[in-house]
C-alpha cells in the first residue's frame, strides 16, 4: 500500500485553521444564495429557546418536522464525506483508501485577533421574511417578542426588516396598508432596539432562503400580463418578474405613473405614516431597493430560468424599452448596427472561455463590446442615480443606504463575465465599482456590500473552476467606497454560525493596521432563525457581537 505525503496548500495569512464545522456525506447540495453555492448540511430543529425567569431555556417540542435550510458557514459535503473545515484542520490525520494512505502535515492554528478597544461597529439582525404576512399583520407577535429579547441578550443594536411593495400596495395604486409594520415597530420600540428598513420593490421567492413568496403588487401583475415588456427580458425572450425593468423608469405605463413616481410615492407614504419612529430615532437607516433581491444589479442569474453556479449569466436588456435605448445610443455613436445585444455571449450556464464574447481576447474588449458594456452599465448607474435622488427627497435628514451584490465568481478571469452580465463593468482593465461609489457619494448614501464572510480558499476548494475571489472583490469594493469618502456597511451572504466565518467578518469590518483607521459603519447578520439560538451557535454569535463592539472577550 503506497504512502503519499501531501503538503497543505499555501493559505493566505487571513485563513485560519482549527475550524470544527462538520457535515455528512449524504448532505444535499444547496442552490446559490445571491450567487454563492457551497454545499450544506441540513439538520432538523425540534427545539426553540425561550426566556423564563430571566434565563434562557430550551423549549423542546415533538413532531414539528421542521428542517433548517440554513447552512453552517463553509460546511461542504464532498465525495469524501468530510467537510472542507475538517480537511483544512487535520493535524497529522490519515486518510485511507484501497491502494494508498495519505498523511497530511499539520496546519498550525492561528490565535484569534484581540478586538478589544477597537471602534464600535453596530450589529443588526435581519428578521424573517414572513414576520409580516400577506394580510399585513405581524404573523407571530409573541414569538417575535421572545426572539427580540434573545437578540437583546446577545447585545445586538437593532434589526433589519423588509417593507414589501407587494404587501403594502397590494391591490390598488396609491392605497397603502402599513398596519402590520406599525405594530411590529411598536414591539421593537418596547425593547429599545434600532431599525434598518428596506424599501423592497422586488419579488420575494425563487432564491435560496426565501421561505415564502411575496409577489409584486396584484395591480402590477395585471398590467404586466398585457404589457410583459415592463419586465427584464433575456435574449430568448424569457421575462423575469422579480422586478420592473429600468426601461420604464420614465415611461407612464403604470396606470398613468412612471416607475420612478411609483417608487417615490411608496417611500413618501412610508415616511409620513411612520413618522413617529423617525422622530424618536427608532429608524436608524433606510435601505433603498434598487433591483432583484433589493440589490443594485441586473437579474442576470435567475434560477427560474435554469441558471446554476458558476454560470456566467445572461444580459437582461431585451425588453423593448431597453432595446430602444440601446438603438438610440448606437445611432448617437454613429454606428446604428451596434444597436443590438451580443450574439456570442453564451447562455446562463456557459463558461467565459467557451464564448466568443467573454473569452480572453474576446469581443468584450473590442470596439463594439466596449460600447455595449458602457451602455449596459450606464443604464444601471442611471437607475441608481434617479431612485436615490427621490429617496433623498422622501427621507430628508435620514441615513440612506444601497446594497451592491457580491458577484465573485469568474473574478480571476480577464473579462469578469458574471460581473459584466450583472451590470458591473469591472473587467481587468476597468474599475466597475468606483462609478457606483461616486453616485452614492453624490446622494450621501452608504454602500452595503455582501459576502464579507467568504474566504477565497474555501471557494477554490469547492469550485476551483469558478475562478472565484470573494476576498479580492470585497477588498476592491470596500476601498472604492472608502476612497470616495462614503460609509460602508455589510452583511453576510450565507447564514453563518462558526467562529471562522465570524472572524473573517471581523477582519473586513476592522482592517488590521489600516493607517486611516477605517472600519464598517455597521454590520447586518443574515438572518434570524431558530438555528441561531442553539447553544453553541448562540455562544459564538454573542462572542462575535462583543468583538464588533470592541469589547474584551475572555474564552473559558
Amino acid at each position: 500500500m503506497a504512502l503519499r505525503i501531501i503538503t497543505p496548500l499555501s493559505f493566505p495569512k487571513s485563513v485560519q485553521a482549527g475550524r470544527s464545522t462538520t457535515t455528512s456525506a449524504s448532505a444535499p447540495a444547496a442552490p446559490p444564495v445571491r450567487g454563492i453555492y457551497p454545499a450544506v448540511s441540513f439538520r432538523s430543529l425540534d427545539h426553540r429557546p425561550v426566556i423564563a425567569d430571566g434565563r434562557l431555556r430550551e423549549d423542546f417540542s415533538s413532531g414539528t418536522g421542521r428542517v433548517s435550510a440554513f447552512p453552517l458557514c463553509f460546511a461542504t459535503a464532498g465525495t469524501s464525506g468530510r467537510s472542507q473545515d475538517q480537511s483544512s484542520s487535520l493535524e497529522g490525520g490519515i486518510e485511507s483508501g484501497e491502494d494508498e494512505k495519505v498523511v497530511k502535515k499539520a496546519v498550525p492554528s492561528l490565535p484569534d485577533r484581540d478586538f478589544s478597544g477597537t471602534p464600535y461597529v453596530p450589529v443588526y439582525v435581519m428578521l424573517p421574511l414572513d414576520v409580516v404576512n400577506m394580510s399585513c399583520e405581524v404573523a407571530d407577535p409573541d414569538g417575535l417578542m421572545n426572539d427580540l429579547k434573545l437578540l437583546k441578550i446577545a447585545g445586538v443594536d437593532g434589526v433589519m426588516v423588509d417593507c414589501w411593495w407587494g404587501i403594502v400596495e397590494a391591490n390598488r395604486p396609491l392605497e397603502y396598508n402599513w398596519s402590520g409594520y406599525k405594530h411590529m415597530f411598536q414591539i421593537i420600540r418596547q425593547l429599545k432596539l434600532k431599525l434598518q428598513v428596506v424599501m423592497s420593490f422586488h419579488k420575494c421567492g425563487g432564491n435560496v432562503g426565501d421561505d415564502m413568496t411575496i409577489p409584486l403588487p396584484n395591480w402590477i401583475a395585471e398590467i404586466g400580463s398585457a404589457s410583459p415588456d415592463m419586465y427584464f427580458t433575456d435574449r430568448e425572450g424569457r421575462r423575469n418578474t422579480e422586478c420592473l425593468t429600468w426601461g420604464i423608469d420614465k415611461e407612464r405605463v403604470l396606470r398613468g405613473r412612471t416607475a420612478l413616481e411609483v417608487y417615490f410615492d411608496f417611500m413618501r407614504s412610508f415616511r409620513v405614516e411612520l413618522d413617529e419612529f423617525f422622530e424618536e430615532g427608532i429608524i436608524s437607516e433606510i435601505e433603498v431597493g434598487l433591483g432583484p433581491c433589493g440589490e443594485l444589479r441586473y437579474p442576470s442569474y435567475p434560477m427560474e430560468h435554469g441558471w446554476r453556479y458558476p454560470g456566467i449569466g445572461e444580459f437582461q436588456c431585451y425588453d423593448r424599452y431597453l432595446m430602444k435605448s440601446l438603438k438610440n445610443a448606437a445611432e448617437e455613436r454613429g454606428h446604428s448596427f451596434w444597436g443590438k445585444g451580443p450574439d456570442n455571449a453564451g447562455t446562463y450556464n456557459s463558461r467565459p472561455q467557451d464564448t466568443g464574447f467573454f473569452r480572453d481576447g474576446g469581443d468584450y474588449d473590442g470596439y463594439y463590446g466596449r460600447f455595449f458594456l458602457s451602455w449596459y452599465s450606464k443604464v444601471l448607474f442611471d437607475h441608481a442615480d434617479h431612485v436615490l435622488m427621490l429617496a433623498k427627497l422622501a427621507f430628508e435628514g435620514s441615513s440612506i443606504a444601497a446594497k451592491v451584490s457580491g458577484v465573485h465568481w469568474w473574478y480571476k478571469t480577464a473579462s469578469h463575465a458574471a460581473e459584466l452580465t450583472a451590470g458591473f463593468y469591472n473587467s481587468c482593465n476597468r474599475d466597475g465599482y468606483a462609478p457606483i461609489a461616486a453616485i452614492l457619494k453624490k446622494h450621501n448614501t452608504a454602500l452595503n456590500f455582501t459576502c464579507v464572510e467568504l474566504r477565497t480558499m474555501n471557494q477554490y476548494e469547492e469550485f476551483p473552476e469558478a475562478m472565484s475571489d470573494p476576498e479580492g472583490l470585497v477588498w476592491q469594493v470596500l476601498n472604492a467606497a472608502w476612497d470616495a469618502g462614503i460609509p460602508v456597511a455589510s452583511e453576510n451572504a450565507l447564514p453563518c454560525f462558526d467562529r471562522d466565518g465570524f472572524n473573517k467578518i471581523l477582519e473586513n469590518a476592522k482592517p488590521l493596521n489600516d493607517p486611516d483607521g477605517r472600519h464598517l459603519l455597521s454590520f447586518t447578520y443574515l438572518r434570524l432563525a431558530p438555528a441561531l439560538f442553539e447553544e453553541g451557535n448562540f455562544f459564538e454569535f454573542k462572542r462575535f457581537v462583543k468583538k464588533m463592539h470592541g469589547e474584551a472577550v475572555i474564552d473559558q
Side-chain angles (χ1 to χ4, degrees):
M1 186 177 293
L3 185 66
R4 182 159 55 96
I5 306 296
I6 293 181
T7 302
L9 294 170
S10 298
F11 284 79
K13 290 182 179 180
S14 60
V15 176
Q16 300 180 14
R19 293 166 285 171
S20 59
T21 302
T22 60
T23 67
S24 67
S26 61
V33 175
R34 293 176 183 166
I36 317 302
Y37 191 112
V40 301
S41 63
F42 289 77
R43 49 204 172 90
S44 62
L45 299 176
D46 56 0
H47 69 279
R48 178 189 186 91
V50 297
I51 296 181
D53 302 324
R55 289 189 251 172
L56 290 178
R57 299 184 184 275
E58 300 289 342
D59 177 23
F60 289 89
S61 57
S62 60
T64 61
R66 290 189 299 169
V67 177
S68 171
F70 297 96
L72 291 179
C73 204
F74 312 125
T76 64
T79 56
S80 67
R82 190 179 64 243
S83 71
Q84 291 175 13
D85 303 281
Q86 290 171 306
S87 299
S88 63
S89 62
L90 285 174
E91 299 185 8
I94 297 178
E95 175 182 280
S96 299
E98 292 184 359
D99 298 316
E100 64 178 27
K101 286 185 179 180
V102 179
V103 180
K104 293 195 175 185
K105 290 185 178 180
V107 179
S109 179
L110 300 177
D112 283 355
R113 178 178 155 196
D114 181 10
F115 286 89
S116 59
T118 57
Y120 186 105
V121 175
V123 177
Y124 292 76
V125 175
M126 296 183 193
L127 293 183
L129 296 170
D130 60 352
V131 64
V132 172
N133 61 29
M134 290 300 298
S135 299
C136 204
E137 300 171 342
V138 178
D140 182 7
D142 293 336
L144 175 62
M145 176 65 81
N146 182 66
D147 287 345
L148 293 177
K149 287 179 179 178
L150 292 170
L151 294 179
K152 189 75 173 179
I153 289 174
V156 303
D157 298 87
V159 294
M160 173 181 276
V161 62
D162 290 277
C163 276
W164 294 101
W165 183 28
I167 291 178
V168 175
E169 196 181 0
N171 298 315
R172 283 176 291 276
L174 297 170
E175 290 189 9
Y176 306 102
N177 178 7
W178 299 105
S179 58
Y181 291 100
K182 286 183 179 180
H183 184 194
M184 178 177 58
F185 292 2
Q186 290 166 355
I187 294 173
I188 293 168
R189 178 170 57 188
Q190 290 180 41
L191 295 174
K192 295 181 171 54
L193 291 169
K194 299 291 186 181
L195 262 168
Q196 294 175 324
V197 184
V198 184
M199 301 287 101
S200 295
F201 298 113
H202 61 284
K203 179 180 74 173
C204 174
N207 295 297
V208 173
D210 291 352
D211 51 11
M212 67 177 299
T213 298
I214 304 173
L216 298 183
N218 297 328
W219 61 275
I220 288 289
E222 292 173 3
I223 299 172
S225 62
S227 305
D229 277 295
M230 62 189 280
Y231 300 120
F232 283 105
T233 307
D234 64 20
R235 187 176 181 82
E236 298 298 319
R238 288 168 291 198
R239 313 291 185 174
N240 188 313
T241 60
E242 188 171 357
C243 58
L244 302 180
T245 174
W246 304 326
I248 65 168
D249 275 358
K250 295 184 178 182
E251 299 286 340
R252 294 192 177 279
V253 296
L254 304 178
R255 304 277 172 86
R257 291 186 294 167
T258 68
L260 290 176
E261 289 171 341
V262 169
Y263 303 147
F264 176 71
D265 290 340
F266 182 91
M267 292 187 288
R268 180 175 57 184
S269 174
F270 177 84
R271 179 62 183 85
V272 171
E273 294 298 323
L274 284 302
D275 176 70
E276 60 185 288
F277 301 99
F278 284 93
E279 295 301 318
E280 295 174 17
I282 304 299
I283 296 176
S284 60
E285 179 183 89
I286 298 293
E287 183 173 288
V288 183
L290 295 173
C293 293
E295 300 168 338
L296 177 60
R297 63 172 175 87
Y298 286 87
S300 56
Y301 44 95
M303 292 177 59
E304 65 176 336
H305 292 162
W307 176 85
R308 294 295 181 268
Y309 183 88
I312 59 176
E314 291 190 24
F315 293 113
Q316 305 290 311
C317 58
Y318 294 93
D319 62 85
R320 68 184 179 93
Y321 299 102
L322 289 184
M323 288 307 295
K324 179 181 177 181
S325 171
L326 175 58
K327 290 176 181 177
N328 289 340
E331 290 174 359
E332 290 177 7
R333 180 70 181 269
H335 305 295
S336 59
F337 55 92
W338 283 356
K340 59 183 180 61
D343 57 9
N344 60 347
T347 60
Y348 285 111
N349 294 313
S350 295
R351 305 299 193 255
Q353 63 272 19
D354 297 330
T355 73
F357 193 81
F358 297 114
R359 64 175 175 80
D360 290 352
D363 292 345
Y364 80 92
D365 202 29
Y367 293 113
Y368 161 74
R370 292 197 296 270
F371 159 78
F372 173 79
L373 292 171
S374 294
W375 168 83
Y376 191 70
S377 62
K378 183 178 183 301
V379 173
L380 176 140
F381 298 154
D382 288 347
H383 174 71
D385 189 19
H386 297 149
V387 176
L388 292 176
M389 177 185 66
L390 296 175
K392 190 175 179 180
L393 289 174
F395 301 114
E396 184 177 2
S398 300
S399 297
I400 299 174
K403 185 189 298 185
V404 175
S405 59
V407 184
H408 57 80
W409 53 106
W410 306 115
Y411 187 85
K412 289 185 177 181
T413 61
S415 63
H416 292 228
E419 290 169 272
L420 296 186
T421 58
F424 307 128
Y425 194 175
N426 193 50
S427 56
C428 64
N429 55 355
R430 295 180 63 99
D431 185 346
Y433 299 99
I436 296 175
I439 292 171
L440 301 186
K441 172 74 171 179
K442 174 182 176 181
H443 299 292
N444 196 27
T445 300
L447 169 67
N448 183 11
F449 194 63
T450 62
C451 75
V452 290
E453 85 283 15
L454 300 180
R455 295 186 187 272
T456 297
M457 183 59 68
N458 293 88
Q459 297 297 311
Y460 175 78
E461 289 174 351
E462 185 66 16
F463 290 98
E465 73 278 11
M467 301 295 285
S468 167
D469 187 6
E471 291 180 274
L473 177 62
V474 168
W475 183 248
Q476 179 187 358
V477 174
L478 263 58
N479 279 277
W482 282 329
D483 289 347
I486 61 174
V488 183
S490 193
E491 63 186 47
N492 49 310
L494 289 171
C496 179
F497 306 114
D498 67 296
R499 185 170 300 186
D500 185 68
F502 286 134
N503 283 343
K504 184 58 186 175
I505 295 169
L506 284 159
E507 290 172 18
N508 285 317
K510 306 176 185 184
L512 183 64
N513 298 325
D514 187 305
D516 299 312
R518 299 177 297 189
H519 56 84
L520 291 184
L521 171 69
S522 64
F523 174 78
T524 304
Y525 176 81
L526 171 76
R527 162 182 322 268
L528 178 62
L532 176 62
F533 298 131
E534 293 180 11
E535 183 177 359
N537 296 343
F538 200 50
F539 171 82
E540 290 295 338
F541 180 71
K542 290 188 292 183
R543 184 179 183 275
F544 163 73
V545 172
K546 286 184 177 181
K547 288 196 168 190
M548 289 291 278
H549 289 170
E551 300 176 19
V553 173
I554 301 177
D555 291 324
Q556 298 179 354

